[in-house]
Amino acid sequence: MAAFIAKQMVGNQLSAVKDAAGGGDGGDDGDDKEKAEEEERERLEAIREAEERRKEKHRKMEEEREKMRQDIRDKYNIKKKEEIVEAMPQEEPNPLMRKKKTPEELAAEAEQEELDDFTTKLKKRLSDAFKNCPLRNLF
């Protein structure tokens, strides 16, 4: 804790001296922005490449596992369950990026829910009334 406070005090004084001497961030704002943008692009590219490598690694591991599974199936004469497998989905949809419902769609859903609720209540009331009806035995 003491080291942090000391660093803050010395750092603030050091930056004040740099600014007074003209050694601070003079007029290189445009250059700094370009440098920051370039670093951000490189960072995003590195993240994308790392994700691709990770996916490729997992794909290879799954292929090896499937080969091992098939060897076991062959050894013990087990038939594989047939499943409809999609051909390598490109991108799994991100639930945060799904299409948002418009206010009109939300209103229509609320109206439909209200209508469903109303019909359910009406049906229940009619069935209760029918149960208590003395003419029930005629049907």
Side-chain angles (χ1 to χ4, degrees):
M1 180 77 175
F4 174 74
I5 294 172
K7 185 176 179 181
Q8 288 294 320
M9 290 173 37
V10 172
N12 290 340
Q13 291 174 356
L14 184 60
S15 63
V17 170
K18 281 184 180 178
D19 289 340
D25 295 334
D28 297 335
D29 289 338
D31 208 20
D32 289 343
K33 288 180 183 178
E34 290 176 10
K35 197 175 204 180
E37 289 174 2
E38 181 64 29
E39 288 176 1
E40 181 65 16
R41 280 193 295 266
E42 289 175 2
R43 184 183 72 83
L44 292 174
E45 180 67 22
I47 290 171
R48 187 184 61 76
E49 287 177 5
E51 183 68 16
E52 287 176 2
R53 284 192 304 265
R54 184 190 68 80
K55 286 182 179 180
E56 182 64 22
K57 175 184 170 187
H58 286 279
R59 186 188 63 77
K60 286 180 182 178
M61 286 173 40
E62 186 59 32
E63 285 178 0
E64 290 173 4
R65 289 182 186 137
E66 186 57 36
K67 184 180 181 294
M68 192 178 304
R69 290 182 197 120
Q70 189 59 46
D71 291 343
I72 293 169
R73 285 187 206 106
D74 292 342
K75 181 177 179 181
Y76 295 105
N77 294 325
I78 299 172
K79 293 187 179 182
K80 182 178 179 180
K81 294 179 182 176
E82 294 297 324
E83 295 180 12
I84 299 173
V85 180
E86 295 179 17
M88 292 291 288
Q90 293 295 325
E91 251 339 280
E92 290 190 23
N94 186 349
L96 298 176
M97 299 301 289
R98 70 179 185 276
K99 182 181 177 283
K100 306 294 189 257
K101 294 181 180 177
T102 63
E104 293 81 19
E105 291 173 330
L106 291 172
E109 283 183 5
E111 184 177 324
Q112 183 64 34
E113 185 176 308
E114 189 175 300
L115 183 62
D116 290 344
D117 189 37
F118 173 73
T119 55
T120 305
K121 286 180 181 178
L122 181 63
K123 183 178 178 183
K124 184 178 179 187
R125 285 186 182 173
L126 288 174
S127 66
D128 289 344
F130 186 69
K131 286 179 185 176
N132 298 332
C133 180
L135 301 174
R136 184 176 140 217
N137 296 334
L138 296 175
F139 297 105

